[in-house]
Amino acid sequence: MELLWLIPAWPLLGFLILTCLAARLPRIMAGSVGVGSVGAAALTALLMAWDFLKHQPGRNAFTQHLWTWLDVAGLHLEIAFYLDALTLVMIIVITGVGFFIHLYSLGYMAHDQGYTRFFAYMNLFVAAMLVLVLADNLPLLYLGWEGVGLCSYLLIGFWYTDPANGYAARKAFVVTRVGDTAMAVGLFVLYNQLGTLQIQEVMQRAAAAWPAGSTMALLTALLLLGGAVGKSAQLPLQTWLPDAMAGPTPVSALIHAATMVTAGVYLIARTHGLFLLAPTALTITAVIGAATLLLAGFSALVQQDIKRVLAYSTISQLGYMFLALGVGAWSAAIFHLFTHAFFKALLFLGAGAVIHALGGEQDMSRMGGLKQKLPLTFWTFLAGAASLAALPLVTAGFYSKDLIIWQAFASPRGGLGFWFMAVAGALLTALYTFRMVLLTFTGPARTPVHHPPGLVMRLPLLVLAFLSLTAGFLETPHSLGHMRVFSGWLHTCLPEAGLAAGREAYEILFELLAGLAALCGIFGALRLYHPLAKSRYSLPESLRQYWIKGWGFDSLYDRLVVRPYIHLAQFNKNDFLDLFFVFLAWLAKTGHQTLAATQNGRLRSYAWGLGLGAAAIAAMVVLL
Amino acid sequence: MTNIIFYLAAGVAILSTFMVITRLNAVHALLYLIVSLLSVALIFFILGAPFAAALEVIIYAGAIMILFIFVIMMLNLGPPAIEKERLLLKPGMWLGPGLLAAILLIELVLILTGPGSATKAAEVPPRAVGLTLFGPYVLGVELASILLLAGLVGAFHLARKERND
Amino acid sequence: MLTIPVSHGLLLAGILFLLGFVCVLVRRNIIFILLGLEIMFNAAGLAFVAAGARWGQPDGQIMFLFILTTAAAEVSIGLALVFQLVHRLHTLDIDQADGMKG
């Protein structure tokens, strides 16, 4: 247990080595440092997990104090790591999935100019993300939070020579910053009201100080929710994620699917004590989640770019997690986060393999027929897609999503409305997922295959495909074996959802309906998008364009925020305060030039100056 | 009688100084300056400062002017230097400094013609000068000697020709 | 003897000083500038002596002695600089030595 600090230290060390030695490191060394550091972190994390399960520390949590960070005027902050079941799940996901994505990047980035830089950023990201989930207090969490934001920015804009990528990076940074600012304000309010920022203590003191439903609890919960919404790309701050696909595909897999975007979910789960005090905030969370999953689902249905489909599907799946959090199904949300990390990383890596094979082609209308040419990629991608679409019984996504859908109805906070939206989302998910699969892998080949994926790219695909199919068996519903490994474990640190009275009887019926929805979606996709399908239904063009643009949020924000701001800035460009300072600058500059001109190096002109000065002083004596 | 000698000497001093600043040939200018310095020595004598008058003749007109002459001889300036000097010295150049000097002179006159100026001078014998010099001013004498030493070292250093220039 | 008003002595000193000053301003030959400086030194000494005579005190003459010392030191440094100017720039024109400008 004492080795806990090593987990974030490994990738940080890797980052330092890669940055300090950058140019001097041969490629093979850079790659092995980059992958090795994350691999070491993953091994350490597994060791931690084994140790944790074996010893079960008191109060089901272990805290490691490293050193004091700040100690001023009553604010005592430590660099301290806190390990409980929730954190353990997160670090295993981050280091495990992170390791396979790093391994995959060895192949994917092999011919890239910025090979070392890429691994340096990725390692820094993993370190920051681990700090985020391990943090014992909120400012340390915030440090990691900003760290992952920075790495996200750096990696979205990784191919910085294209201005569009830089724009996407800036957009992601600025939009998430809106949420970050809300979260920072939330931390200030918490400290101001409760006098501590240590997470467990905050929850204890909040429960003692604020009655359920009090305004202060609502305010802080909403501010933290703001941060989570920004990071997890939920309504209304979801616009940055589709553009974030400008980065290399492994980045999208690691940061914008598996780990960073789930930080919001983690934050809410981590501070669940606060949210439980503010039922309104929970309802808002659920509504945001439900609305987001539907909006993003519709947008994913019409995208042409394979990565954008996956991006919208990520937003949509995150919406499921928020819905689960909102109805109080904490462990269901984390379970979906867990399985989603596997199958979404797999899908991104599969898409990356396709893009790599086609020499950078991302448009699905120019793909097709890859089933025969890239069989391994096809089958693993299919596994991921089935998991995303929640194909009943055999996939992990089914068990986790099904749990959320069921809880959306059965939880005391849930209801038929949430259930209906979740099921509609499931149908949409299955539809767009198999549309993507069919467009990409079936039909006539439209682009020749250049580079089939090598061994280092295939291995992660296989491992992740295996996990995407089997990770779900950790948690199965009553009707199917009733495994409770995952939630039983998480309930050492997260409260149980519970069921509203009289609803448990419907479980089988609702599960059947949900499974049916997924099957309908898959069937619908086969009917609509299979090359042999007869009926070709197309949406009205205007609606299609509207959905492609993500429901027009970008232009809305452009009109509401960006343009007025630019106008204001332009209007204010020459304000009179500025004129004063410009005048000062002008005065200093002109005075300098005048005085500098007098220093012409000629002795006689200096003597002239002396003479004139003497004359002036004598004149003063005479005249005054 | 002494009054007439004073004004006569003053006239000679001004005239010869004027000649100093207008000469093209440096040696001529130096000779005129010696005349000027001698007449100022005479004025010192009249003002009752015989010791200062003696020093003026010995050190100013003697030692310092000799130094100038040495330098001019070492620079070996001949007729071409005079021609060059003529080029450097254009008649128009006198105008501005002359004007400035005139202004300063008028101001000086105005200041000096203030009240209580017409007192007579009293003689100060060399003995009194010597007693005061090595009495209250002994520190000043030390400082003057250090200044001369600094001048000596500085002149030696500056006048040395550097070999690897 | 000694019926001259002190102000006349001071006036003479002022005139001589201004002549030296005009010399410094007008002449470009460094030797003449040094001569002008000598004239100004001398004029200042004259002013001190005249003022000392006005009060019948030896301090004026002592100041003249110090000025003399300063002038001696100045002229030795100044003439060494003349050598350097000739050695480096091959001219006596002070306006040529204007390298130190802002």
Side-chain angles (χ1 to χ4, degrees), chain A residues 123-213:
Chain A
N123 275 0
L124 181 63
F125 167 78
V126 173
M129 189 72 201
L130 287 168
V131 168
L132 196 167
V133 297
L134 280 168
D136 169 66
N137 53 52
L138 287 166
L140 188 59
L141 186 148
Y142 196 73
L143 178 77
W145 188 273
E146 292 299 323
V148 293
L150 170 71
C151 293
S152 166
Y153 167 79
L154 290 172
L155 285 164
I156 295 170
F158 182 74
W159 288 312
Y160 54 85
T161 45
D162 183 356
N165 294 346
Y167 175 78
R170 278 202 305 283
K171 182 175 175 187
F173 199 71
V174 171
V175 173
T176 51
R177 183 126 309 263
V178 176
D180 294 354
T181 310
M183 180 174 162
V185 175
L187 297 197
F188 300 152
V189 173
L190 276 178
Y191 181 69
N192 183 279
Q193 293 292 318
L194 301 174
T196 181
L197 285 169
Q198 212 266 332
I199 295 171
Q200 305 304 320
E201 240 177 280
V202 162
M203 295 208 284
Q204 281 162 17
R205 290 199 197 174
W210 298 329

Side-chain angles (χ1 to χ4, degrees), chain A residues 348-513:
Chain A
F348 264 113
L349 296 188
V354 169
I355 293 165
H356 192 67
L358 299 184
E361 183 56 63
Q362 299 195 9
D363 189 342
M364 288 192 295
S365 64
R366 272 182 250 147
M367 296 177 180
L370 295 174
K371 186 178 161 187
Q372 288 78 28
K373 295 198 178 133
L374 303 169
L376 182 115
T377 311
F378 169 68
W379 288 109
T380 50
F381 196 86
L382 190 66
S387 197
L388 173 60
L391 188 69
L393 302 182
V394 294
T395 60
F398 168 71
Y399 294 103
S400 60
K401 196 185 283 182
D402 189 63
L403 190 60
I404 291 178
I405 295 173
W406 164 238
Q407 301 268 24
F409 168 70
S411 149
R413 300 182 178 286
L416 214 50
F418 285 141
W419 178 84
F420 182 74
M421 286 164 96
V423 169
L427 185 103
L428 271 175
T429 309
L431 195 61
Y432 69 69
T433 307
F434 276 85
R435 169 179 174 267
M436 172 173 71
V437 172
L438 293 170
L439 284 181
T440 310
F441 289 99
T442 61
R446 297 183 185 87
T447 309
V449 173
H450 298 293
H451 322 278
L455 182 67
V456 286
M457 287 168 76
R458 281 191 212 159
L459 184 68
L461 289 178
L462 281 171
V463 174
L464 288 172
F466 174 73
L467 288 171
S468 301
L469 294 178
T470 58
F473 298 128
L474 289 172
E475 179 86 10
T476 58
H478 291 87
S479 45
L480 291 166
H482 194 53
M483 284 288 284
R484 307 280 295 161
V485 176
F486 197 85
S487 57
W489 188 21
L490 274 182
H491 288 155
T492 58
C493 64
L494 290 172
E496 253 178 284
L499 294 177
R503 287 184 187 166
E504 62 265 38
Y506 300 107
E507 185 171 356
I508 294 198
L509 173 67
F510 276 81
E511 271 161 8
L512 278 178
L513 285 173

Side-chain angles (χ1 to χ4, degrees), chain A residues 35-307:
Chain A
V35 178
S37 63
V38 182
L43 285 180
T44 318
L46 284 178
L47 190 72
M48 282 300 110
W50 186 67
D51 212 20
F52 190 87
L53 291 175
K54 198 170 129 196
H55 291 110
Q56 284 294 347
R59 298 177 64 205
N60 297 312
F62 168 75
T63 312
Q64 185 176 36
H65 300 276
L66 291 178
W67 65 85
T68 302
W69 186 10
L70 289 177
D71 194 0
V72 275
L75 174 65
H76 182 78
L77 291 182
E78 285 194 337
I79 302 284
F81 293 142
Y82 180 85
L83 184 71
D84 63 3
L86 174 61
T87 310
L88 208 49
V89 172
M90 291 302 290
I91 57 175
I92 286 177
V93 167
I94 294 163
T95 56
V97 177
F99 170 69
F100 286 113
I101 293 172
H102 274 73
L103 191 63
Y104 174 91
S105 309
L106 277 182
Y108 191 83
M109 300 299 286
H111 303 291
D112 199 273
Q113 290 273 312
Y115 192 68
T116 312
R117 189 163 58 93
F118 177 82
F119 279 107
Y121 290 165
M122 290 288 268
N123 275 0
L124 181 63
F125 167 78
V126 173
M129 189 72 201
L130 287 168
V131 168
L132 196 167
V133 297
L134 280 168
D136 169 66
N137 53 52
L138 287 166
L140 188 59
L141 186 148
Y142 196 73
L143 178 77
W145 188 273
E146 292 299 323
V148 293
L150 170 71
C151 293
S152 166
Y153 167 79
L154 290 172
L155 285 164
I156 295 170
F158 182 74
W159 288 312
Y160 54 85
T161 45
D162 183 356
N165 294 346
Y167 175 78
R170 278 202 305 283
K171 182 175 175 187
F173 199 71
V174 171
V175 173
T176 51
R177 183 126 309 263
V178 176
D180 294 354
T181 310
M183 180 174 162
V185 175
L187 297 197
F188 300 152
V189 173
L190 276 178
Y191 181 69
N192 183 279
Q193 293 292 318
L194 301 174
T196 181
L197 285 169
Q198 212 266 332
I199 295 171
Q200 305 304 320
E201 240 177 280
V202 162
M203 295 208 284
Q204 281 162 17
R205 290 199 197 174
W210 298 329
S214 73
T215 326
M216 209 32 99
L218 180 63
L219 177 69
T220 50
L222 282 182
L223 285 169
L224 291 183
L225 176 64
V229 158
K231 208 55 141 192
S232 291
Q234 297 295 293
L235 216 63
L237 297 177
Q238 85 286 27
T239 55
W240 65 271
L241 191 57
D243 288 333
M245 297 302 128
T249 309
V251 171
S252 312
L254 179 60
I255 299 184
H256 305 118
T259 55
M260 185 189 88
V261 288
T262 60
V265 179
Y266 169 78
L267 177 70
I268 295 178
R270 178 48 82 207
T271 57
H272 61 89
L274 265 179
F275 279 81
L276 284 174
L277 293 176
T280 322
L282 276 179
T283 312
I284 292 173
T285 312
V287 170
I288 286 177
T292 310
L293 78 90
L294 281 180
L295 286 184
F298 280 116
S299 279
L301 198 53
V302 294
Q303 299 296 326
Q304 283 303 320
D305 185 326
I306 185 166
K307 285 181 73 179

Side-chain angles (χ1 to χ4, degrees), chain C residues 30 80-94 96-97:
Chain C
I30 187 169
L81 285 173
V82 172
F83 270 122
Q84 283 295 326
L85 192 69
V86 172
H87 177 63
R88 285 171 195 271
L89 301 176
H90 308 291
T91 178
L92 287 171
D93 184 358
I94 192 74
Q96 304 279 315

Side-chain angles (χ1 to χ4, degrees), chain B residues 67-83:
Chain B
L67 205 58
F68 268 97
I69 287 177
F70 274 164
V71 169
I72 291 164
M73 281 165 64
M74 283 175 76
L75 291 177
N76 200 12
L77 303 168
I82 296 169
E83 279 309 307

